Amino acid sequence: MECFSKDSGSHDRDHTQRVYNLCMHIGEVEGADMEVLKIAAYLHDVGRPYQDESKGSICHAEKGAEMARTLLEEYPVSDARKANIIHSIKSHRFRGKCQPETLEAKILFDADKLDAIGAIGIARTFQFAGEVGAKLHNPSIDPKDTKPYTEEDTAYREFKLKLSKIKDRMLTAQGRRMATGRHAFMEMFFERFLHEYKGHK
Ligand SMILES: [Fe+2]
Ligand SMILES: [Fe+2]
């Protein structure tokens, strides 16, 4: 997803492994084609370096789908499954033009977004804030008036402007259930965080 472009290197691989784990869990519950999901999860961000190197002019989901088509040419899996894997990769992006249509594509989309929220989401936003030299918190300014990639790019900003909206974008029932739990945890964490910041707790 978009905020993942803030990551690089080993973060990409860790994210891919977590998305794979989420896909396996949601796929079991939803009764998905697990072979399609396994391959789609592992390959879903394979186009990421091209998007980063082109500073965003290449879409990593579209590029990744093309790369998967080539990679899967000799792979012993049916043409229908190959088409589903390619569609799932192409449609996984949060703001992508292509919408997920198959169950497996919807699960990959949900898994990718779930990795941005909950305890993992909080950890990732603080890690990113540290990488760009952002403050721990910026109480004197409304997050809406702040700029990304500056010292104003705090974890709380990311939560208010982006992460708090993700739960409403889920496409599967299990994804929605998990997003609801992860969202509630973030709400609880940041409520406490703001109290502690003021010294009220
Ligand atoms: Fe992605
Ligand atoms: Fe991803």
Side-chain angles (χ1 to χ4, degrees):
M1 66 174 302
E2 210 49 45
C3 71
F4 187 47
S5 63
K6 291 172 170 182
D7 286 350
S8 61
S10 66
H11 295 175
D12 285 355
R13 286 190 293 278
D14 293 350
H15 161 74
T16 295
Q17 184 61 47
R18 290 193 302 270
V19 169
Y20 174 87
N21 295 343
L22 282 162
C23 279
M24 293 305 95
H25 173 75
I26 302 170
E28 288 288 347
V29 177
E30 295 281 339
D33 182 329
M34 300 304 277
E35 189 170 10
V36 165
L37 259 186
K38 273 182 192 166
I39 301 169
Y42 271 132
L43 294 180
H44 83 280
D45 277 336
V46 75
R48 170 63 63 189
Y50 294 88
Q51 183 170 311
D52 293 343
E53 278 158 29
S54 71
K55 299 216 173 3
S57 68
I58 292 172
C59 166
H60 79 277
E62 283 174 28
K63 179 70 185 176
E66 264 175 51
M67 290 166 77
R69 190 185 300 280
T70 309
L71 286 166
L72 292 171
E73 254 164 28
E74 304 293 319
Y75 196 80
V77 62
S78 72
D79 286 350
R81 279 184 161 145
K82 283 181 189 172
N84 196 356
I85 293 164
I86 292 162
H87 167 69
S88 300
I89 295 170
K90 195 173 176 186
S91 61
H92 85 271
R93 201 175 171 192
F94 203 36
R95 294 172 196 80
K97 286 175 236 157
C98 175
Q99 294 302 307
E101 279 163 16
T102 63
L103 174 62
E104 292 73 23
K106 290 174 184 175
I107 292 171
L108 176 62
F109 181 95
D110 284 2
D112 193 48
K113 310 312 157 257
L114 280 166
D115 193 50
I117 60 175
I120 291 281
I122 293 169
R124 290 180 79 190
T125 55
F126 278 101
Q127 184 176 37
F128 172 73
E131 283 167 8
V132 299
K135 292 176 170 180
L136 190 65
H137 184 45
N138 215 0
S140 57
I141 185 164
D142 188 317
K144 287 201 283 301
D145 303 324
T146 55
K147 292 190 189 70
Y149 296 94
T150 68
E151 67 165 24
E152 298 170 349
D153 201 355
T154 62
Y156 184 66
R157 174 189 195 274
E158 185 76 1
F159 168 66
K160 286 307 275 184
L161 300 187
K162 294 184 188 166
L163 308 191
S164 60
K165 293 167 183 143
I166 288 178
K167 75 172 189 340
D168 300 323
R169 293 287 307 274
M170 293 293 118
L171 301 174
T172 68
Q174 181 61 11
R176 219 167 286 125
R177 276 192 286 274
M178 294 175 78
T180 302
R182 288 186 180 216
H183 180 84
F185 181 80
M186 290 194 299
E187 291 269 14
M188 195 177 74
F189 174 86
F190 280 107
E191 192 189 328
R192 170 99 198 177
F193 177 83
L194 296 180
H195 280 305
E196 289 191 13
Y197 201 86
K198 289 181 196 155
H200 293 176
K201 270 193 179 165

